[in-house]
Amino acid sequence: AVMGASGSGKSTLLAVLSGRASYGHSSGTLLMSGRPAGNLRSIRRVFGFVPQDDVLHGELSVEENIAFHAALRLPLGTTLAEQRRHVRRVAKDLGLLEKMQSRVGTAERRGISGGQRKRVSIAMEMVSQPMLLFADEPTSGLDSTTSHEVVRSLCSAASRLGTTVLTVIHQPRFETLCLFDDLLLLAGGGYVVYAGPTEKVVSYFQEHLKVEFPPNSNPADALLDAIQPPAPYVEGTVAADVWSARSEWHSGVDVVRSRAHFRRTPIPFMEALLIHIDRSLLLTMRAYNTILVKQCLSVGAVGLLCSVITYNRVDQYFLQSGLASLLLMLLQGVAAQRVFGDDLGVTFREALVGMPLVSYFLAKDFAALSEVTLSAAVFTATYGAFSGAQQDFVAIISGSWAFVYTVTGLSYIWSITQSPGSAQMTCVVSAFVSFCVSGVYSPELPQLAALFDGRGWMVPALSPIRWLWGYMLTNEAKVLNKLTKQNGASAFKSKGYDLDKLTECQSSLLVSTDSSILTMKDAWIDNNGWVCSVSELLLLGVMFRFLAAVCLLMRVNSQSTGFSELFVHSAQSGGKLAGMLFTALMISFLLLCLFAEVWVFGILRLQGLFNVHFAL
């Protein structure tokens, strides 16, 4: 156990040892089985970490939380029956058998008690049979009795599994402290004033530091009072010098083992992917209330819009379809925040112990496709019923599905890179920016494409609303009668859509066979803004997901010591400069990837091989 005064560096010590310290500059020697090791990230698959906060899936039951960790982290070759036995045994050790089917609970829905949540958090790590377990204040926020029971359960499970536990504990009662074999006591400033058997700490302080332990008092309190103000106390430097002089107290024997002893083969990628998909789908189904509310809002908002802005002329359809796209982007963008935003704490926790991030990302995205499909279907039914549009439902649902898919990918980026509040604001702002550069209002598409010396086409090319709105206009124009086309030709052309060029747009849902040989910029300046397929939206959605995956990998790894060392976050001026340059290089690389892909969108409109090319 690690105990000490507030600010003495207890949690920082755990962060450095476990490879989570993404701040400051650390020095010293870390030995692993008697051999030097940079940090413990190289063996992270065989250690566990219990965070101070209860980072759990609140929508899952106690058993589900533990079972999914067992499936993902137990050694390769463990059968399903063995996994279930491990789950039951750990639950029994921690006194959770009677609560296995209970929901953990969220801020909106009450679940199990605080002490039980702590035990579930511990069980999620112990079920993987770790060789080393870090626990950062597992008793924080609990009363003395509950704290003692949690620690007793932890020690019992660790003893059975042969796990070494290193935990930070804050001013426990002495019976709780005595459950630990050894104690590391830190004074203010991080000075080590004792490191040895817990049962000898009182006699050491009495004999060598002349500390008195009043009768009927908690010795753990007396220990902390002795090394910190305002009570009469021993200076940290003095206590540390006394301790350093007592070499017989802290001598030990190094046990040298092969590094292979600390390696554990991870489960195959596809197996991990299927387990993550199973969990993600379950979480999606448990969030049915939120999904239902969003669909009701979609029906109400789109229905109200169509009743206020009726479609009698083509210019009215321009406004109606543009605002409908904006509403859909706002609703879906904000709702998609919870796909990754709600789970970032769990993601950090799981990545720390070596759980695969790529399979996690793909599984979360795959599970979100069910909600994408539902949202597109609800929008199609509502808009098709109330808008007065003449295009068929297949065109509306294909465009809306690709649009929601793209907006969801963009929302991933905001939710991964920002705090929940900032991500929602960014999502709303990005929806309005996308609307403003879509060509619905001034400036129109030809004017946008001509901006910045002909490079302005990149701006609307990144706008999901531009592609959905253009796709809806294209499909609506195809089914208009001759008289309506004649009356609306000037309105279409003013927006950058020349009806005379509509005949060049022959498309399926995904592939365009436009006979033009213009680049996207030239086509838009020439009033040929027709969107013949949803390939533009789908490709944009894939691009957003790629950037979101890169952001997830960078943000998760930024919480680790290794990434901190890579960025050279140190107090040295040269290190700071190198870190700043490296950070700028990474950001520049991401921006170059983004604009390179957009540039490819433009040149893919050229006539290509096999005479088949995508509209991007």
Side-chain angles (χ1 to χ4, degrees):
V2 180
M3 190 172 74
S6 297
S8 60
K10 303 184 296 294
S11 295
T12 300
L13 175 63
L14 245 65
V16 171
L17 292 176
S18 60
R20 291 188 313 116
S22 58
Y23 47 84
H25 176 69
S26 60
S27 61
T29 303
L30 177 66
L31 299 180
M32 185 176 71
S33 272
R35 298 178 181 179
N39 57 62
L40 294 183
R41 285 176 58 80
S42 59
I43 61 165
R44 57 184 178 175
R45 288 193 176 90
V46 295
F47 76 67
F49 188 90
V50 180
Q52 183 174 348
D53 298 323
D54 300 325
V55 183
L56 311 167
H57 285 294
E59 294 292 349
L60 299 183
S61 68
V62 170
E63 183 175 18
E64 289 164 346
N65 270 287
I66 303 173
F68 278 118
H69 266 249
L72 288 165
R73 296 176 59 189
L74 280 172
L76 183 65
T78 306
T79 65
L80 183 60
E82 290 173 334
Q83 291 177 16
R84 290 172 177 169
R85 284 198 297 271
H86 284 306
V87 170
R88 299 289 294 181
R89 185 62 185 271
V90 169
K92 182 179 179 181
D93 289 339
L94 293 166
L96 293 169
L97 280 179
E98 295 182 357
K99 294 292 184 179
M100 293 292 275
Q101 304 307 318
S102 301
R103 293 273 186 95
V104 169
T106 61
E108 295 80 20
R109 178 174 178 172
R110 181 175 174 80
I112 58 178
S113 67
Q116 290 164 345
R117 290 175 67 92
K118 294 289 185 184
R119 296 185 195 184
V120 174
S121 185
I122 294 171
M124 289 165 61
E125 301 301 323
M126 296 302 296
V127 76
S128 66
Q129 300 179 328
M131 298 181 65
L132 175 62
L133 178 67
F134 296 98
D136 189 4
E137 298 197 29
T139 61
S140 62
L142 303 179
D143 60 75
S144 177
T145 301
T146 305
S147 297
H148 182 77
E149 190 59 28
V150 167
V151 172
R152 186 197 62 77
S153 300
L154 170 61
C155 293
S156 173
S159 177
R160 181 180 64 82
L161 295 172
T163 300
T164 299
V165 177
L166 180 60
T167 180
V168 170
I169 193 163
H170 182 69
Q171 208 158 353
R173 72 189 198 192
F174 197 59
E175 294 86 348
T176 303
L177 186 62
C178 288
L179 291 173
F180 296 99
D181 298 318
D182 297 293
L183 174 66
L184 173 64
L185 191 59
L186 300 177
Y191 293 103
V192 177
V193 297
Y194 180 82
T198 306
E199 61 185 13
K200 297 182 179 180
V201 63
V202 173
S203 61
Y204 171 80
F205 268 71
Q206 289 175 330
E207 180 180 352
H208 298 285
L209 297 177
K210 310 305 180 184
V211 174
E212 297 182 359
F213 291 82
N216 301 321
S217 66
N218 180 5
D221 292 338
L223 289 172
L224 292 178
D225 290 342
I227 58 174
Q228 64 180 338
Y233 70 101
V234 181
E235 288 285 351
T237 53
V238 175
D241 290 341
V242 172
W243 169 250
S244 299
R246 312 301 300 181
S247 59
E248 72 273 12
W249 284 83
H250 46 85
S251 60
V253 178
D254 291 330
V255 179
V256 180
R257 294 178 179 175
S258 168
R259 288 292 178 94
H261 184 73
F262 298 95
R263 294 194 180 99
R264 180 177 293 178
T265 304
I267 62 175
F269 174 80
M270 287 305 300
E271 185 176 343
L273 179 62
L274 291 175
I275 294 170
H276 277 300
I277 288 175
D278 188 16
R279 185 175 69 177
S280 299
L281 287 173
L282 187 58
L283 287 169
T284 300
M285 289 188 293
R286 296 279 170 82
Y288 65 89
N289 283 335
T290 302
I291 296 174
L292 180 61
V293 169
K294 187 190 77 172
Q295 304 310 327
C296 290
L297 286 174
S298 179
V299 171
V302 175
L304 179 61
L305 172 67
C306 293
S307 65
V308 172
I309 305 176
T310 57
Y311 173 21
N312 297 314
R313 303 187 311 273
V314 291
D315 58 327
Q316 293 174 326
Y317 181 72
F318 293 164
L319 180 59
Q320 183 198 75
S321 56
L323 290 178
S325 302
L326 174 61
L327 281 175
L328 185 58
M329 185 170 182
L330 285 170
L331 287 171
Q332 185 60 35
V334 173
Q337 299 286 318
R338 58 183 175 78
V339 176
F340 287 101
D342 289 352
D343 282 355
L344 276 182
V346 178
T347 306
F348 294 151
R349 173 178 181 169
E350 294 180 348
L352 177 64
V353 293
M355 293 174 68
L357 277 176
V358 176
S359 59
Y360 166 80
F361 181 88
L362 294 176
K364 294 288 286 185
D365 186 41
F366 179 84
L369 293 182
S370 59
E371 191 173 346
V372 168
T373 303
L374 178 61
S375 298
V378 170
F379 175 82
T380 299
T382 307
Y383 189 74
F386 297 108
S387 66
Q390 301 178 41
Q391 57 189 289
D392 57 37
F393 273 46
V394 175
I396 299 177
I397 196 169
S398 61
S400 59
W401 192 95
F403 178 75
V404 174
Y405 175 80
T406 301
V407 170
T408 302
L410 180 61
S411 185
Y412 289 169
I413 299 175
W414 308 142
S415 63
I416 289 171
T417 57
Q418 302 179 58
S419 64
S422 298
Q424 290 187 9
M425 288 189 290
T426 305
C427 182
V428 172
V429 170
S430 64
F432 280 101
V433 171
S434 178
F435 179 78
C436 291
V437 300
S438 63
V440 177
Y441 282 109
S442 181
E444 284 79 16
L445 198 58
Q447 297 170 330
L448 287 167
L451 292 174
F452 311 118
D453 294 329
R455 297 181 181 88
W457 62 271
M458 289 187 180
V459 178
L462 289 173
S463 167
I465 291 181
R466 177 271 174 281
W467 295 112
L468 176 61
W469 189 63
Y471 184 72
M472 294 176 72
L473 290 188
T474 302
N475 285 280
E476 187 67 18
K478 288 179 180 179
V479 297
L480 293 177
N481 58 46
K482 186 176 181 180
L483 181 60
T484 305
K485 285 184 178 180
Q486 290 176 348
N487 293 333
S490 60
F492 272 106
K493 192 168 185 178
S494 68
K495 295 296 181 181
Y497 299 86
D498 190 345
L499 287 174
D500 293 334
K501 295 180 173 59
L502 182 61
T503 55
E504 300 174 357
C505 187
Q506 300 173 359
S507 65
S508 64
L509 290 180
L510 294 178
V511 180
S512 169
T513 56
D514 191 337
S515 59
S516 69
I517 58 172
L518 298 173
T519 63
M520 186 180 290
K521 177 193 73 173
D522 294 334
W524 289 357
I525 292 177
D526 196 35
N527 294 312
N528 189 1
W530 302 109
V531 180
C532 307
S533 73
V534 297
S535 59
E536 294 93 342
L537 275 170
L538 293 176
L539 206 54
L540 195 60
V542 171
M543 183 187 73
F544 286 153
R545 278 162 172 76
F546 169 76
L547 292 177
V550 172
C551 290
L552 179 65
L553 290 170
M554 291 183 64
R555 182 167 183 188
V556 169
N557 284 295
S558 70
Q559 308 298 313
S560 69
T561 301
F563 201 82
S564 172
E565 292 170 354
L566 179 64
F567 275 79
V568 201
H569 288 173
S570 68
Q572 302 172 2
S573 59
K576 286 185 176 181
L577 178 60
M580 292 171 62
L581 290 175
F582 186 80
T583 304
L585 180 63
M586 291 297 295
I587 294 174
S588 301
F589 174 75
L590 289 176
L591 291 175
L592 283 174
C593 287
L594 177 65
F595 283 103
E597 292 191 50
V598 176
W599 189 269
V600 170
F601 290 174
I603 65 174
L604 281 178
R605 200 176 178 93
L606 293 169
Q607 187 174 15
L609 296 176
F610 313 114
N611 293 321
V612 177
H613 45 275
F614 292 95
L616 285 177

